[in-house]
Amino acid sequence: MGKVDFKKTLSKLYSAPIGRFAAIDVPALQFVKIDGKGDPNREPGYAQAIEWLYSVSYAMKFASKARSGRDYVVPPLEGLWWADDPADFVNRRKHRWKWTMMIMVPDFVGRPLYDDAVTKTHGKRGEPPPETLRLESLDEGRSLQTLHVGSYDDEGPILARLHDEVMPAEGLTFAGPHHEIYLSDPRKTEPEKLKTILRQPIRRAD
């Protein structure tokens, strides 16, 4: 059995047009998640969350391959972002942000593999897991998404246009937090070349 790459088998979730928002129906998926708040560039809990997510995700991947022969490429890092005042997010007031960072987990990887991966990561890192670490499903349904190429800090105008023009024109409102999918590794990619899917779950406005 070959290695599954979900960016190819679920390509509609990991691709979008540049310069416009396209509608997509997102199926229910399971993720390993960690919650936090504050500026991701300054908050120590953010870096810890990313390290834990990758450690647990790779432990699950290797266990799945060893136990069942089902191998896969660990999917990209994703994040749900929000603030009590939505303007804080559009205007990049990062100290007021709240977030859930997450990595998708295939449906053939169940809770026993997850529990074992957490235990293994705990032993390797020598620290208890973050309190909010969990395996949980997410069902976003109908959403709008676009591909942003450039620095994360250049997302503000795109999101402002979505919130103030695109959604009102279509009679739509929010059905979940802002969602980002990081297709590039910021450690290896220049800021102007970063590729990020920007997604917003939607519903008809009352």
Side-chain angles (χ1 to χ4, degrees):
M1 184 178 297
K3 182 185 297 186
V4 180
D5 185 345
F6 293 99
K7 285 196 294 185
K8 296 179 180 179
T9 60
L10 298 175
S11 60
K12 290 183 178 180
L13 302 183
Y14 298 104
S15 61
I18 298 175
R20 66 181 179 87
F21 285 86
I24 183 174
D25 291 309
V26 183
L29 300 167
Q30 68 173 351
F31 293 84
V32 56
K33 302 178 179 180
I34 298 177
D35 301 330
K37 60 182 179 180
D39 186 340
N41 297 316
R42 298 177 180 270
E43 173 55 49
Y46 181 85
Q48 181 194 42
I50 302 307
E51 291 171 359
W52 267 92
L53 289 174
Y54 275 112
S55 294
V56 171
S57 294
Y58 274 97
M60 286 187 288
K61 162 196 162 63
F62 293 135
S64 175
K65 181 179 179 180
R67 299 182 190 183
S68 67
R70 304 189 75 170
D71 193 11
Y72 62 95
V73 178
V74 171
L77 178 70
E78 307 187 29
L80 305 178
W81 299 87
W82 69 98
D84 293 334
D85 179 354
D88 288 336
F89 192 77
V90 172
N91 293 316
R92 321 309 282 175
R93 292 190 280 264
K94 300 178 183 180
H95 63 289
R96 299 181 180 177
W97 290 1
K98 300 178 182 180
W99 40 264
T100 297
M101 303 311 296
M102 57 192 194
I103 295 177
M104 196 267 280
V105 179
D107 56 8
F108 55 77
V109 175
R111 185 160 296 277
L113 285 185
Y114 165 77
D115 291 339
D116 288 349
V118 172
T119 298
K120 182 176 182 179
T121 302
H122 182 188
K124 181 180 295 186
R125 292 182 59 84
E127 63 182 17
E131 291 184 3
T132 60
L133 177 67
R134 64 199 183 276
L135 182 67
E136 184 177 70
S137 64
L138 177 65
D139 188 359
E140 291 179 301
R142 194 70 168 174
S143 300
L144 295 175
Q145 66 182 32
T146 188
L147 177 63
H148 170 60
V149 179
S151 169
Y152 302 135
D153 286 332
D154 292 338
E155 295 173 7
I158 300 171
L159 299 178
R161 181 166 63 87
L162 172 66
H163 299 171
D164 300 336
E165 301 175 23
V166 176
M167 291 171 61
E170 298 294 330
L172 302 172
T173 190
F174 302 93
H178 170 70
H179 186 163
E180 298 188 354
I181 303 173
Y182 306 103
L183 302 180
S184 305
D185 185 341
R187 299 170 301 177
K188 304 176 182 178
T189 308
E190 294 297 321
E192 64 271 15
K193 296 180 180 180
L194 292 170
K195 294 182 178 181
T196 309
I197 297 287
L198 307 181
R199 178 184 296 162
Q200 179 58 57
I202 52 170
R203 61 177 176 82
R204 302 300 303 180
D206 296 334

